[in-house]
Amino acid sequence: MKHKKLIVFILLLLIIYFIYITFHDDKINYLSIGDFLSVGVNSYNENSYGYSDYLANYLKEKNLLKNYSKDFANADFRISDLQHQLDMNQVINKQNKSLSFKKCLREADLVTISIGANDLLTEINMSTSDIEVIEEDKILEIFADKMLDFEKLLKDIRKYNTEEIIVLGYYNPYEYKKIIPDRIFNYFDNKMKNVTEKYDIKFISLFQLFKNNENYLPNPTNIHPSSLGYEAIYKQIVKQLDQKMLAFR
């Protein structure tokens, strides 16, 4: 009798296991949102192969990718634009299907965000008639103001996604000209990291990654990265990915 009960118990476990294997979705929905970095604009202002494309291909080669989208990203986006996109729950059509921003956020297992660079660049350009002369106090004032919007945005995004979120920091677009001291970008990194940690979001410093790497910003008249720059960003993201998320899928 005991043996029969044990056999029945084992059979039940096997049935449950096979049901789990059959219906469990163990692949990753990857959503890339934000500005020109998420779009993949290259150093000649062309929409190209960006960091998120490299990352999606990496997941695909490991047979971990279920779906990848950067359809909600826009090269010109500022923080307020991404906030508006979320508040209005933008809907796009893809392959004859309607996709809402909030739904895609909810379903994403991995979200990468690049946002805020356009805010800083626009405000800096508007605040001075000579880009060679930038007042540090003015930059910090602009940054502090934008960080309030940045934190609200991350807080709101977290309401719709509780999975892995990675935020990219800012690199120095004027690396060649040496007109913004390193301490400014170190300050940016520290402040952004404090905000992201508050919402259990990972942060990657692009300033440290791009510093003294001229191949990443090869065009001195353009602020966008090269393919090497985007590849470097992707590799840095892979290092930050939750290895448990990858291992148990």
Side-chain angles (χ1 to χ4, degrees):
M1 189 68 178
K2 289 182 179 179
H3 290 299
K4 287 184 179 180
K5 287 183 178 180
L6 180 60
I7 292 171
V8 170
F9 178 70
I10 292 173
L11 286 173
L12 284 173
L13 286 179
L14 287 172
I15 291 170
I16 292 170
Y17 173 75
F18 283 118
I19 290 174
Y20 174 80
I21 291 296
T22 302
F23 294 101
H24 178 63
D25 183 3
D26 59 356
K27 293 190 177 182
I28 296 170
N29 277 316
Y30 171 37
L31 180 65
S32 177
I33 58 178
D35 56 28
F36 56 85
L37 288 180
S38 293
V39 171
V41 179
N42 67 19
S43 51
Y44 296 95
N45 279 338
E46 302 164 333
N47 288 0
S48 185
Y49 202 77
Y51 78 83
S52 59
D53 299 302
Y54 281 108
L55 181 56
N57 188 61
Y58 167 84
L59 295 172
K60 184 178 180 180
E61 287 182 345
K62 288 186 169 293
N63 198 30
L64 292 172
L65 185 67
K66 179 180 181 182
N67 185 59
Y68 159 57
S69 174
K70 62 176 183 179
D71 299 294
F72 289 98
N74 186 301
D76 298 323
F77 261 19
R78 301 188 197 183
I79 295 171
S80 59
D81 296 312
L82 186 50
Q83 182 73 57
H84 180 72
Q85 187 180 56
L86 178 62
D87 292 341
M88 298 304 293
N89 194 22
Q90 181 187 357
V91 176
I92 62 172
N93 291 309
K94 184 178 181 180
Q95 298 175 346
N96 297 319
K97 291 183 179 179
S98 293
L99 299 174
S100 75
F101 188 45
K102 289 180 181 178
K103 183 175 187 293
C104 289
L105 269 179
R106 288 191 190 98
E107 294 179 350
D109 303 294
L110 171 63
V111 180
T112 55
I113 306 171
S114 61
I115 199 69
N118 285 326
D119 297 75
L120 288 174
L121 290 169
T122 300
E123 294 291 341
I124 288 171
N125 288 333
M126 287 176 63
S127 68
T128 180
S129 58
D130 183 3
I131 197 62
E132 301 289 342
V133 181
I134 301 178
E135 297 180 15
E136 287 187 34
D137 289 346
K138 186 63 179 177
I139 295 176
L140 296 177
E141 181 184 334
I142 292 168
F143 178 78
D145 181 56
K146 295 304 173 183
M147 278 301 97
L148 296 175
D149 297 332
F150 177 73
E151 179 166 0
K152 181 183 185 308
L153 175 64
L154 294 190
K155 182 180 180 181
D156 289 348
I157 286 174
R158 258 300 179 220
K159 293 175 183 176
Y160 297 96
N161 186 281
T162 59
E163 302 297 328
E164 183 95 314
I165 299 179
I166 298 175
V167 166
L168 304 180
Y170 309 138
Y171 56 86
N172 186 354
Y174 306 115
E175 180 80 19
Y176 288 96
K177 299 182 179 181
K178 305 295 182 184
I179 57 177
I180 303 179
D182 289 354
R183 62 178 173 272
I184 295 294
F185 284 92
N186 284 323
Y187 177 82
F188 289 172
D189 276 359
N190 289 333
K191 290 296 181 181
M192 292 181 75
K193 190 174 182 180
N194 287 341
V195 172
T196 55
E197 286 179 346
K198 190 174 178 180
Y199 298 99
D200 192 25
I201 292 172
K202 293 179 179 177
F203 173 77
I204 291 177
S205 169
L206 295 191
F207 167 62
Q208 296 296 336
L209 184 65
F210 275 50
K211 184 173 171 57
N212 298 323
N213 283 298
E214 294 184 358
N215 289 334
Y216 296 170
L217 293 171
N219 186 351
T221 64
N222 192 286
I223 65 168
H224 303 115
S226 64
S227 58
L228 288 175
Y230 280 118
E231 187 175 6
I233 295 172
Y234 133 71
K235 288 179 179 178
Q236 202 66 24
I237 293 173
V238 170
K239 291 180 183 178
Q240 288 285 333
L241 283 179
D242 186 343
Q243 295 307 307
K244 291 180 181 179
M245 178 181 77
L246 300 179
F248 292 104
R249 289 177 179 272

